Amino acid sequence: MDDLIFDWNLESPPPKPPVVQLNDETLRDGLQSPSVRAPTIEQKLRILHLLDRIGIDTAAIGLPGAGPHVVRDVERLAAEIVECRLNVQANCVARTVIADIQPIADIVQRTGLPIECGCFIGSSPIRQYADTTRSDPDTLRRLFETAINAGAHRLCIADTVGHATPAGARAVVRFAKRVVEASGADVGIDWHGHRDRDMGTINSLAALEAGASRVHGTMLGIGERVGNTPMDLLMVNLVLMGWIERDLTHLNDLVRAVSDATGEPIPDNYPVFGRDAFRTATGVHAAAVVKAFHKNDSDLADRVYSGVPARLVGRSQQIEIGPMSGRSNVVYWLEHRGFTADDELVDRVFRRAKGSPTVLTEQEILREIANWKSEKVAEVEK
């Protein structure tokens, strides 16, 4: 494919970060969305296993300080990691109060699983219990230095209300990096982004460029208000950029498992994982894909009209038939499903598509095929 695609993305790419770790917040921050349904523990366990399977480094498994029901689920998830010897590491968040931290310590004692504790504290004057990205440098320096002196092994920059732009994300991460370097301590930097301005993914990439070593996100971007950085899309971009190596063939399964568990629908036009991501009914687009299929060139078929290879995430290209389709759409659709592309049948389905305001459903096409066959039988019987 290299001789067919000139990739401008490679002309002046940002340097690959030395460390890129992924922290998934689906089972914690993701469940704080006002619209989601609380998953059952069985659904949480399936999500946990899929997170492990796609190579998530760490996963937030809850906020035990929220109550006994959360403690119960967090302990069950922690025990599953131990019993099944999963590679994913666990963390829990807590306010800087004993009532939040003690339940985490108790779960560690009962399960034997080390659990990272992410203690959060607000810093911006507009909302003293909110986020990092609207805080002044002096306040941040005091907070960061206090955390480092207290033994923190990571600093997390939280764009709690999705205020940051890529420039802002780079600036605050670079500031945190200077504080860490001045301390002489071995402390990592996390970026926790929200997407209120629809900049979750690009801000996470900018944070990594600036020196963050771990970024947070949730599957489908679920979370407070309009959600967090979409971890699924972030992973796809990181793999395509060559910043991480992961097998994403089960990522589509994970996205759908989260959708089913939370009741959060996947929009048809959601990138990569939406119904329409690898689906076309346009004649020009479909013709190119069909030609590639007929050449038995799966790589070409997957890239000719796709910026993301469908097979990367366990999906495939789909050719549909609608008012913008050409005859090649009809021929491919029929042959792909084992039907002979008889000229009369192709013409019939093609005319039906041109008279339809929408893409034809499979049932509508099959009905046209059945009617055509019935008419052919009737002609013979005459």
Side-chain angles (χ1 to χ4, degrees):
M1 292 297 294
D2 291 343
D3 59 332
L4 298 178
I5 297 175
F6 185 86
D7 194 347
W8 285 97
N9 296 331
L10 302 178
E11 284 301 284
S12 55
K16 179 180 177 180
V19 179
V20 178
Q21 293 182 317
L22 304 173
N23 179 60
D24 188 84
E25 288 267 359
T26 302
L27 295 176
R28 199 279 301 179
D29 204 351
L31 301 186
Q32 293 179 201
S33 165
S35 296
V36 303
R37 179 177 64 239
T40 65
I41 187 58
E42 290 76 17
Q43 290 171 322
K44 288 183 178 181
L45 290 169
R46 171 163 167 72
I47 290 169
L48 179 67
H49 277 271
L50 285 168
L51 289 172
D52 181 72
R53 190 164 191 176
I54 65 168
I56 290 293
D57 299 290
T58 59
I61 57 176
L63 197 165
H69 65 294
V70 181
V71 171
R72 182 183 64 247
D73 280 8
V74 169
E75 184 165 343
R76 179 67 185 86
L77 291 166
E80 186 77 3
I81 293 174
V82 173
E83 293 167 9
C84 297
R85 298 182 180 181
L86 302 183
N87 292 317
V88 65
Q89 298 180 36
N91 63 68
C92 290
V93 296
R95 295 168 297 175
T96 50
V97 295
I98 294 175
D100 276 15
I101 298 171
Q102 187 64 53
I104 301 173
D106 293 341
I107 292 169
V108 171
Q109 292 300 312
R110 290 194 294 267
T111 64
L113 178 73
I115 297 178
E116 180 183 29
C117 182
C119 295
F120 59 86
I121 185 168
S123 57
S124 62
I126 191 171
R127 292 186 62 194
Q128 284 296 312
Y129 303 96
D131 64 317
T132 316
T133 58
R134 297 188 294 181
S135 305
D136 65 273
D138 289 339
T139 299
L140 287 183
R141 182 178 289 105
R142 290 197 302 272
L143 285 172
F144 289 163
E145 290 175 346
T146 300
I148 292 170
N149 292 334
H153 69 276
R154 303 197 72 87
L155 299 177
C156 182
I157 299 170
D159 186 24
T160 307
V161 296
H163 167 76
T165 64
R170 291 188 192 95
V172 70
V173 170
R174 286 170 181 156
F175 174 82
K177 187 177 180 181
R178 290 195 295 270
V179 173
V180 170
E181 290 172 345
S183 74
D186 182 16
V187 174
I189 298 174
D190 283 31
W191 172 264
H192 178 97
H194 282 251
R195 57 176 188 168
D196 297 71
R197 295 174 69 173
D198 200 22
M199 293 190 184
T201 302
I202 190 62
N203 283 347
S204 294
L205 298 176
L208 288 169
E209 288 179 37
S213 56
R214 187 168 69 176
V215 286
H216 300 198
T218 62
M219 294 300 154
L220 283 173
I222 59 175
E224 289 276 8
R225 302 176 311 283
V226 297
N228 295 42
T229 298
M231 178 62 79
D232 44 308
L233 300 181
L234 179 60
M235 291 189 77
V236 168
N237 279 285
L238 289 171
V239 167
L240 290 175
M241 293 170 69
W243 284 11
I244 63 171
E245 292 182 5
R246 296 291 193 281
D247 179 357
L248 302 185
T249 52
H250 291 281
L251 186 52
N252 187 55
D253 296 334
L254 174 55
V255 168
R256 273 152 180 72
V258 170
S259 177
D260 292 342
T262 63
E264 185 71 17
I266 304 172
D268 286 348
N269 66 339
Y270 187 79
V272 186
F273 303 98
R275 181 178 178 228
D276 291 345
F278 303 107
R279 181 172 172 251
T280 184
T282 306
V284 174
H285 290 204
V289 177
V290 169
K291 287 176 183 176
F293 277 132
H294 286 160
K295 288 167 64 70
N296 293 318
D297 191 334
S298 54
D299 286 336
L300 179 60
D302 222 5
R303 296 301 298 271
V304 65
Y305 269 109
S306 291
V308 179
R311 291 180 301 161
L312 179 71
V313 294
R315 301 193 66 186
S316 60
Q317 299 290 334
Q318 292 177 268
I319 304 296
E320 304 285 4
I321 304 171
M324 299 294 290
S325 298
R327 287 175 57 86
S328 60
N329 295 56
V330 182
V331 172
Y332 176 80
W333 196 99
L334 293 171
E335 291 180 344
H336 192 64
R337 289 162 178 77
F339 296 103
T340 300
D342 182 277
D343 286 343
E344 289 185 14
L345 176 57
V346 171
D347 289 340
R348 183 185 185 113
V349 175
F350 185 63
R351 287 195 301 272
R352 175 74 173 80
K354 290 300 183 181
S356 173
T358 61
V359 168
L360 298 180
T361 65
E362 183 173 11
Q363 291 73 22
E364 288 175 319
I365 299 171
L366 292 175
R367 192 178 306 123
E368 288 296 328
I369 295 172
N371 290 341
W372 176 77
K373 286 183 176 179
S374 296
E375 291 173 8
K376 298 301 289 184
V377 170
E379 289 177 5
V380 171
E381 291 177 348
K382 287 181 180 180

